[in-house]
């Protein structure tokens, strides 16, 4: 992923108003992010514990999505799998995150959901740059590049559902 500025990020959101995009929290450490190892930039809002954001590239342009997730707590013995990178996490390591649909459907309250790593570090898990813990990544016969392509395909399918 190519490095993004705060302005790139704010203008990329497709499922919120320009005013909402102007007010949302953007990380201050953009210059320090491992851009070469990211397929999308994801972060949680420290001021709104039920809100996260995701920005990726589609057709060479950044596309941002606001996400919400429930605050329910799961037991540590409960394990869930991320729909994007297929990493499993105990407890609240994976959340069902919902995104308001784009356009009139979103203004009517329609949304789409996806189970995703709560820390939004899918790109790093797939590349082995962040370790989720024992038994959390299955050994696969796919190469890392094939796993990255699969993850990007899952993300693209989710983004497509925002427009349908």
């Amino acid at each position: 992923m190519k490095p993004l500025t705060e302005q790139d990020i704010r203008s990329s959101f497709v499922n919120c108003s320009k005013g909402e995009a102007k007010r949302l929290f953007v990380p201050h450490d953009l210059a320090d992010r491992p851009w070469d190892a990211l397929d999308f930039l994801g972060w949680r809002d420290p001021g709104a514990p039920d809100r996260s954001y995701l920005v990726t590239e589609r057709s060479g342009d950044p596309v941002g999505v606001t996400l919400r997730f429930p605050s329910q707590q799961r037991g540590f013995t409960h394990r869930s799998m991320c729909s994007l990178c297929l990493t499993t996490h105990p407890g609240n390591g994976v959340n069902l995150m919902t995104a308001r649909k784009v356009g009139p459907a979103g203004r009517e309250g329609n949304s789409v959901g996806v189970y995703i790593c709560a820390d939004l570090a899918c790109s790093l898990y797939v590349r082995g740059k962040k370790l989720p813990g024992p038994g959390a990544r299955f050994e696969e016969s796919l190469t890392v590049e094939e796993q990255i392509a699969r993850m990007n395909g899952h993300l693209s399918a989710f983004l497509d559902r925002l427009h349908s």
Side-chain angles (χ1 to χ4, degrees):
M1 182 170 193
K2 65 182 176 190
L4 298 173
T5 66
E6 181 177 341
Q7 185 55 42
D8 294 333
I9 291 168
R10 290 191 188 284
S11 62
S12 73
F13 284 91
V14 296
N15 69 335
C16 68
S17 70
K18 289 182 181 183
E20 289 171 316
K22 185 177 179 180
R23 292 185 301 273
L24 63 83
F25 171 80
V26 175
H28 303 291
D29 64 346
L30 294 175
D32 300 329
R33 297 288 174 132
W35 293 102
D36 291 340
L38 296 179
D39 300 289
F40 63 86
L41 174 65
W43 70 97
R44 297 192 60 175
D45 189 332
D50 66 338
R51 191 167 292 191
S52 291
Y53 308 99
L54 183 148
V55 179
T56 190
E57 291 177 359
R58 292 193 91 185
S59 303
D61 294 321
V63 174
V65 179
T66 61
L67 301 164
R68 289 186 178 264
F69 55 94
S71 60
Q72 66 191 30
Q73 299 290 321
R74 291 191 189 126
F76 188 76
T77 58
H78 178 84
R79 295 188 74 80
S80 297
M81 181 182 284
C82 174
S83 299
L84 300 183
C85 67
L86 305 184
T87 300
T88 60
H89 295 275
N92 290 326
V94 172
N95 291 120
L96 173 62
M97 297 196 188
T98 58
R100 193 169 55 199
K101 291 186 110 182
V102 175
R107 288 189 292 277
E108 291 174 8
N110 296 325
S111 62
V112 177
V114 64
Y115 285 94
I116 190 168
C117 295
D119 62 2
L120 300 162
C122 301
S123 299
L124 302 179
Y125 291 129
V126 168
R127 288 171 172 80
K129 294 184 181 283
K130 185 170 184 179
L131 301 176
R137 293 274 313 153
F138 296 105
E139 191 169 326
E140 297 189 62
S141 59
L142 297 177
T143 65
V144 171
E145 291 76 23
E146 290 170 328
Q147 292 176 49
I148 292 168
R150 177 184 60 201
M151 179 185 61
N152 286 326
H154 292 169
L155 178 57
S156 182
F158 170 68
L159 294 173
D160 288 345
R161 290 185 7 228
L162 290 176
H163 294 282
S164 61

